[in-house]
Amino acid sequence: QVQLVESGGGLVQAGGSLRLSCTASGRTFSRDSMGWFRQAPGKEREFVAAITWNGGRTYGEQSVTGRFTISRDNAKNTVYLQMNSLKPEDTAVYYCAAEINGSYYLRGPDVYDYWGQGTQVTVSS
């Protein structure tokens, strides 16, 4: 059974940092792309960042560029999202996802095959 489990969320003040982790089990994702999405209350799921199997990175809206960094450790079957200079508008449930069919377009949630359960990130002002 394939599982993606996120951790590292929590409550942080504006300007603070968090590092989210997503560890996979039941399958090795070292040759697959991994992504992070977020969903705030009343909003659609939003693409945050993705990383290909060999380290190619792409980021979502301009507001996260330069503040968020996606990385991966294939030996640990884990992907990370380092979030710095957090803002209240970053408050959301953050989900990791795995794409196993070699899609070049990683911004859309529909291309992903596996999803974690999400971890809450709350940024207070």
Side-chain angles (χ1 to χ4, degrees):
Q1 181 181 359
V2 176
Q3 281 191 316
L4 302 179
V5 179
E6 301 98 335
S7 60
L11 174 64
V12 64
Q13 289 187 333
S17 298
L18 285 174
R19 188 176 82 154
L20 305 183
S21 300
C22 172
T23 299
S25 60
R27 186 186 190 281
T28 298
F29 290 98
S30 60
R31 302 290 291 184
D32 301 312
S33 296
M34 304 292 292
W36 285 98
F37 288 76
R38 67 186 181 185
Q39 189 165 19
K43 296 188 176 181
E44 293 187 351
R45 193 164 295 192
E46 173 189 31
F47 171 72
V48 176
I51 186 166
T52 61
W53 68 273
N54 58 350
R57 295 172 174 85
T58 184
Y59 293 95
E61 63 177 53
Q62 197 170 4
S63 66
V64 306
T65 303
R67 298 190 299 121
F68 291 10
T69 303
I70 188 171
S71 62
R72 66 190 299 163
D73 184 336
N74 287 336
K76 295 182 178 180
N77 221 18
T78 298
V79 63
Y80 304 97
L81 185 68
Q82 177 67 44
M83 305 186 295
N84 299 327
S85 302
L86 283 161
K87 304 175 181 180
E89 51 264 43
D90 295 318
T91 295
V93 177
Y94 283 71
Y95 299 90
C96 76
E99 190 285 322
I100 67 170
N101 294 302
S103 174
Y104 289 104
Y105 181 75
L106 297 174
R107 294 173 177 265
D110 293 345
V111 306
Y112 290 84
D113 304 283
Y114 298 101
W115 289 85
Q117 83 289 349
T119 185
Q120 176 71 47
V121 171
T122 303
V123 184
S124 63
S125 58

